[in-house]
Structures are given as C-alpha cells and as structure tokens.
Amino acid sequence: MRHRIRPIRPADKEAVHNLLGRIAIFEPHEVEVARELIGESLAGSPDYVIHVAESDDSEPATAGVPAHIIGYVCHGHNPVTDALYDLYWIAVDPAMQSRGVGRALLTHAEACVRETGGRGVVIDTSSRSEYAPARALYERSGYSLVAKIPDYYKPGDALLIYTKML
C-alpha cells in the first residue's frame, strides 16, 4: 500500500474524526478524547504532534478539501520527563489495516521524537483482546512491555505500558 505521511491540516479534521468513528474498538469517551487532542493540535498546541497518512492515489488537500486519510498518529513530549514522549493515539482505517500503515506511522513518530532529541517513547494500551494486533505491532517494532496495572480501565481490562528507548 502506497501512502504518504504529513502533518495534519485543518482541512483534515473531519476526515480524521470520521476515521475514529469507523474503528469499532474505540469507545465513545475515547473518541471524544482523541478529538480533543486533534483540536488542540490544530489550534497550535505544541503538546500534541499529529501526522496523517493519506493514500498515494488521493490528491493533496486543496481549497479546503481533505485528501483520503487512512490513518493518523499523535504523540508529544511528556512534560515531567527530560526527553520521553508519549504515543497518545495511533489509528488506521479498518479497510487499510495489515498493510503497513500503522508500522509506517509508528516509525514516523519515532523519527520525529529522535529529531527533537527525544530518548524514548511510552505507549499506554489496553489488555482487551481487540487490542492484540496493536500490541503485536508494538512488540514487532521493538517495544517492551514494562508494566501492567490490572483492572485499570475497568474490571478485566488492564493498562499495559510499553516502552522503547531510541
């Protein structure tokens, strides 16, 4: 699958919101948080860096019309650390999953962290079975599971914390 990754633009907002709505494993309150971070990023907050993946067959966004967004990643410096970054969101259109888009977005976020002098990335995720493909991506990409907090999100749903030092 050919795609390109670029910074989010205001014209992408609706397309990314729609993408989030198509991902069945995200709960409504999670989608709301993701949308808030998108709004903060588009408003100029340096705390949330967002890049989108768009299919190579789409035209670049022009005249306010968004390109075909197939995924996005959001990361930012954790302000209580010297140079660790949190990966807040990574999402790929269900029709485009298992085609390397998630891996490309993760690799791109890591490159951005390196460029700003970051020394590592931390990812919080769920232990729910629906998140197994995401966890497999993290592990294939060199992330290590460093902590588990049982019943964190809700009974039976643990918080899993992955890290990778760059």
Side-chain angles (χ1 to χ4, degrees), residues 126-139:
S126 168
S127 67
R128 289 178 17 216
S129 61
E130 298 91 339
Y131 282 84
R135 294 190 305 267
L137 168 65
Y138 305 147
E139 292 167 9

Side-chain angles (χ1 to χ4, degrees), residues 4 6 9 12 54-62 65-69:
R4 58 186 159 261
R6 60 167 175 78
R9 299 179 212 155
D12 301 324
E54 61 185 3
S55 60
D56 227 7
D57 59 351
S58 66
E59 293 297 318
T62 57
V65 179
H68 181 67
I69 304 298

Side-chain angles (χ1 to χ4, degrees), residues 94-146:
M96 297 293 146
Q97 291 176 359
S98 299
R99 297 183 185 193
V101 178
R103 175 78 172 232
L105 285 164
L106 184 56
T107 300
H108 184 83
E110 292 171 0
C112 291
V113 168
R114 278 188 197 94
E115 287 173 13
T116 59
R119 61 183 176 87
V121 177
V122 177
I123 302 173
D124 293 355
T125 193
S126 168
S127 67
R128 289 178 17 216
S129 61
E130 298 91 339
Y131 282 84
R135 294 190 305 267
L137 168 65
Y138 305 147
E139 292 167 9
R140 282 191 315 272
S141 300
Y143 286 78
S144 299
L145 178 63
V146 296

